[in-house]
Amino acid sequence: MHSSATLAALPGRSTARSVPWIAALAVDVLLVLLFAGLGRSTHSLDATGLLVTAWPFLTGLLLGWVVWRVHRDPVAVWPRGVALWLTTVAAGMGLRLLSGEGAAPSFVLVTLAVLAAFLLGPRALVLLLRAVRSRGPA
């Protein structure tokens, strides 16, 4: 019989203090949609336009989740979070180019910066909060 400590150490298991992978994926999807919405805010902000802008990056995000097995440690910044971020940007830009959309250098730089903040920032925050909690009261 496994102790709860042993079960918590097994890959893919979550503990009461861990973030369920489905919640982390939902946050990632919402943040990619927010990224697309912010980009569309200078144009008409309608559902169709939002999805046209977002689909390449959502596809890249889902590809990254699968390839890098992000579900195993959904709040890791390194290496999974960084790999997820770079995969999301690279696949998103590639799909934009394949579909005839532009990818100006300034857009690529803004995309790298915003998606770094959106995909890595929340992960870093969760890890920081865990570290503060584990120290307990001062």
Side-chain angles (χ1 to χ4, degrees):
M1 181 159 190
H2 293 291
S3 71
S4 62
T6 304
L7 286 176
L10 293 173
R13 294 287 184 157
S14 62
T15 64
R17 294 179 54 192
S18 69
V19 174
W21 69 266
I22 195 74
L25 175 59
V27 168
D28 284 350
V29 167
L30 290 173
L31 289 170
V32 169
L33 288 171
L34 177 61
F35 160 74
L38 291 171
R40 297 276 320 162
S41 67
T42 59
H43 310 288
S44 63
L45 188 59
D46 57 273
T48 302
L50 178 66
L51 291 176
V52 166
T53 302
W55 81 263
F57 299 101
L58 289 171
T59 302
L61 177 77
L62 296 177
L63 176 67
W65 264 81
V66 171
V67 168
W68 303 113
R69 300 178 186 187
V70 177
H71 68 279
R72 290 187 175 184
D73 193 359
V75 297
V77 173
W78 179 261
R80 283 188 170 100
V82 171
L84 176 65
W85 161 58
L86 293 174
T87 301
T88 302
V89 173
M93 288 299 171
L95 290 169
R96 277 183 63 86
L97 290 171
L98 287 174
S99 65
E101 296 291 323
S106 60
F107 179 66
V108 174
L109 292 175
V110 168
T111 300
L112 280 164
V114 172
L115 288 180
F118 282 6
L119 296 177
L120 300 177
R123 287 171 166 80
L125 181 61
V126 168
L127 295 177
L128 177 66
L129 291 173
R130 281 183 183 172
V132 168
R133 269 189 167 167
S134 70
R135 288 188 186 146

